Amino acid sequence: MTSLSSTSDPSSSSGNQSFLSSTAFAVAGYMLCSATLLISNKYAVYKVAAPSFILFSQLMGTALVVKLFAFLGKIQCDPLEKEKSLKFLPVALIFLATIFSNMKSLQYANVETFMVFRFSTPLVVSIADYLFLGRRLPSPRSWACLFALLVGAAGYAMTDSSFHVRGYTFCAIWYVIF
């Protein structure tokens, strides 16, 4: 077995390594994955019209890939323990409810509508941080940005040409669960 030295592999150079481990790279990767998943889920719900089946397939596929990679020795996967599983169950159910309401939102509303709801979460999070975690309220400049976000979301909702009560209902459910 041969090993690659850092001088023979151009992808392991110091500059490239630091970029790949940077926050900017992580944020860009998250944004790409999130946007791709949102659009592909909308397409899947449009074609199949069975959000529960799509969600089940995604979660089952993820579980199978994790088990396969563990079997191949590529990752370490702890065995399920009943006590830990029961403690984690509420978090898993909330996660599942969030994703299911997301899928139902995409079934009845367009991607833009769901994104407006999703992008307005900092408003609620900043207030919840203050109320429940004792953090400071946003600065006046941040409040101005949050207010602009709220005005934009309200403006979008009032002029949404493809308004469906079901779509907005599932967006609201997602919002409450999130």
Side-chain angles (χ1 to χ4, degrees):
M1 180 187 290
T2 62
S3 66
L4 295 173
S5 71
S6 62
T7 57
S8 66
D9 185 9
S11 68
S12 67
S13 67
S14 175
N16 196 26
Q17 270 310 74
S18 63
F19 173 72
L20 293 177
S21 62
S22 71
T23 302
F25 182 76
V27 168
Y30 175 80
M31 288 180 359
L32 179 65
C33 289
S34 180
T36 303
L37 188 58
L38 184 63
I39 292 168
S40 61
N41 278 342
K42 176 63 177 182
Y43 183 74
V45 168
Y46 172 73
K47 284 296 195 183
V48 178
S52 298
F53 174 73
I54 294 167
L55 180 59
F56 172 78
S57 299
Q58 289 174 344
L59 295 174
M60 182 58 72
T62 301
L64 291 174
V65 167
V66 168
K67 286 295 187 185
L68 175 66
F69 275 56
F71 177 76
L72 295 174
K74 300 294 183 187
I75 62 171
Q76 183 179 358
C77 184
D78 296 335
L80 285 177
E81 297 175 23
K82 185 177 180 178
E83 186 177 319
K84 284 184 183 179
S85 297
L86 289 175
K87 286 180 182 178
F88 191 70
L89 184 63
V91 175
L93 291 176
I94 290 169
F95 176 74
L96 184 63
T98 303
I99 295 176
F100 179 74
S101 61
N102 177 2
M103 297 291 272
K104 292 299 279 185
S105 297
L106 291 173
Q107 183 178 14
Y108 296 111
N110 56 31
V111 172
E112 295 87 355
T113 301
F114 182 72
M115 289 176 74
V116 166
F117 272 85
R118 186 185 243 183
F119 294 155
S120 65
T121 56
L123 182 62
V124 175
V125 169
S126 63
I127 295 169
D129 279 353
Y130 172 75
L131 293 174
F132 301 113
L133 300 178
R135 295 187 177 157
R136 292 188 311 194
L137 285 171
S139 68
R141 183 176 177 187
S142 294
W143 275 117
C145 292
L146 291 171
F147 181 71
L149 217 153
L150 180 63
V151 169
Y156 174 83
M158 288 188 284
T159 60
D160 185 6
S161 61
S162 60
F163 175 83
H164 294 283
V165 173
R166 277 187 177 169
Y168 274 76
T169 301
F170 280 107
C171 285
I173 291 169
W174 175 87
Y175 209 91
V176 168
I177 296 168
F178 180 79

